[in-house]
Amino acid sequence: SIPEPTPAPPPRRQLRFGVGKTPGVTPADTVAEAGRKVLRFHFARLLAAEDGTRSGRDPEDVHRMRVATRRLRAAWRVFGEAYLPERTRRFPRELRALARRLGAVRDLDVLIAGLETYRVNLPADETPGLDPLLETWQRRRDAARADLINELDSDAYRRFAAAFEVFVTSEGAAVRPVRATEPHHVRDTAPSRIWRAYEQVRAYEGVLPWADVPTLHELRIAAKWLRYAMEFVREALEPEAGPLV
């Protein structure tokens, strides 16, 4: 018999806007437009992973899409004060909801992969004992994936994606007015932002001898914010910033 042809993978979503290999932030950029560049860059990555996430062929697409939402939410924390809240507050809220859906699938993917790796090294007569746990996680993963697909197929998500695309591609959109004497360029604000993030990490030095797991988790988050504060404006910094990131 003639074997069935392997179905071709679905085409990647075609972006309606272009992005480079980096966000392209410069020292002369205003905070608002630097943020827009960073948001546009990571939104493009989110959209590029959307088709693969829908198909389910490669679990790494879910991971890539989740990482993009993390970067977008982090960028909003760094640059969000530059925009009018009454026109933009929906964006971080909807990104947070999408991140929860993606995280539910990704966390179970990681658990299942870890359990399957662990089973490989067990004696054959012991592996059936893990079947109920594996089946439970797979059922939960299937349910979480169904919820994620429903989210991506929803009118609410389509409206969000369309509105966010307009925002990240429209220079000057929703920018909070600033006085001419108010620091609002990357060259004037990046140093203090990075320094504040560094101070937050250093503040944990005194508690490390007794730090419990939640405290160490908070330190990990603080270290991430320090990295993001540098990473988002890396091109505007000295070359030494690259190795430091």
Side-chain angles (χ1 to χ4, degrees), residues 21-235:
K21 294 182 179 180
T22 63
V25 172
T26 71
D29 283 334
T30 64
V31 172
E33 297 313 317
R36 201 182 311 276
K37 287 180 177 181
V38 174
L39 291 165
R40 182 168 62 243
F41 180 80
H42 291 292
F43 184 54
R45 290 189 164 188
L46 182 148
L47 296 180
E50 186 181 312
D51 287 338
T53 296
R54 288 176 182 278
S55 74
R57 285 181 171 84
D58 184 355
E60 286 304 305
D61 282 310
V62 172
H63 177 55
R64 282 187 280 269
M65 196 170 183
R66 186 190 191 189
V67 168
T69 62
R70 282 180 171 172
R71 292 293 195 280
L72 286 164
R73 295 172 64 198
W76 204 270
R77 177 168 171 171
V78 172
F79 301 104
E81 64 186 24
Y83 310 113
L84 294 168
E86 63 271 20
R87 292 180 56 185
T88 59
R89 63 169 55 95
R90 62 175 290 200
F91 295 144
R93 182 177 66 245
E94 295 185 47
L95 284 168
R96 184 166 57 249
L98 177 60
R100 282 198 296 267
R101 296 292 191 195
L102 290 161
V105 177
R106 176 60 182 175
D107 289 347
L108 285 162
D109 279 342
V110 172
L111 285 172
I112 290 168
L115 184 59
E116 289 177 336
T117 299
Y118 175 71
R119 290 204 324 169
V120 169
N121 297 316
L122 289 179
D125 59 344
E126 293 183 18
T127 57
L130 292 174
D131 288 345
L133 179 59
L134 183 59
E135 291 168 4
T136 297
W137 283 351
Q138 287 173 333
R139 284 197 302 271
R140 290 180 182 175
R141 195 265 183 190
D142 291 343
R145 174 168 168 74
D147 289 341
L148 172 60
I149 298 305
N150 287 338
E151 176 81 15
L152 295 178
D153 287 341
S154 68
D155 290 339
Y157 175 75
R158 282 191 286 270
R159 288 194 298 269
F160 155 72
F164 199 64
E165 181 173 328
V166 170
F167 171 72
V168 300
T169 56
S170 302
E171 185 174 351
V175 173
R176 179 179 63 82
V178 295
R179 301 186 311 275
T181 55
E182 180 181 347
H184 61 283
H185 290 91
V186 170
R187 62 174 175 258
D188 303 321
T189 59
S192 59
R193 290 172 185 271
I194 294 170
W195 196 255
R196 284 198 303 271
Y198 176 65
E199 289 174 343
Q200 186 59 62
V201 172
R202 285 299 303 268
Y204 283 86
E205 183 179 18
V207 305
L208 285 179
W210 57 262
D212 55 11
V213 171
T215 303
L216 292 174
H217 180 61
E218 291 173 3
L219 172 56
R220 178 172 179 259
I221 291 172
K224 279 188 175 183
W225 290 124
L226 172 58
R227 177 163 60 88
Y228 292 149
M230 292 184 291
E231 185 179 278
F232 292 151
V233 297
R234 182 190 308 198
E235 295 158 285

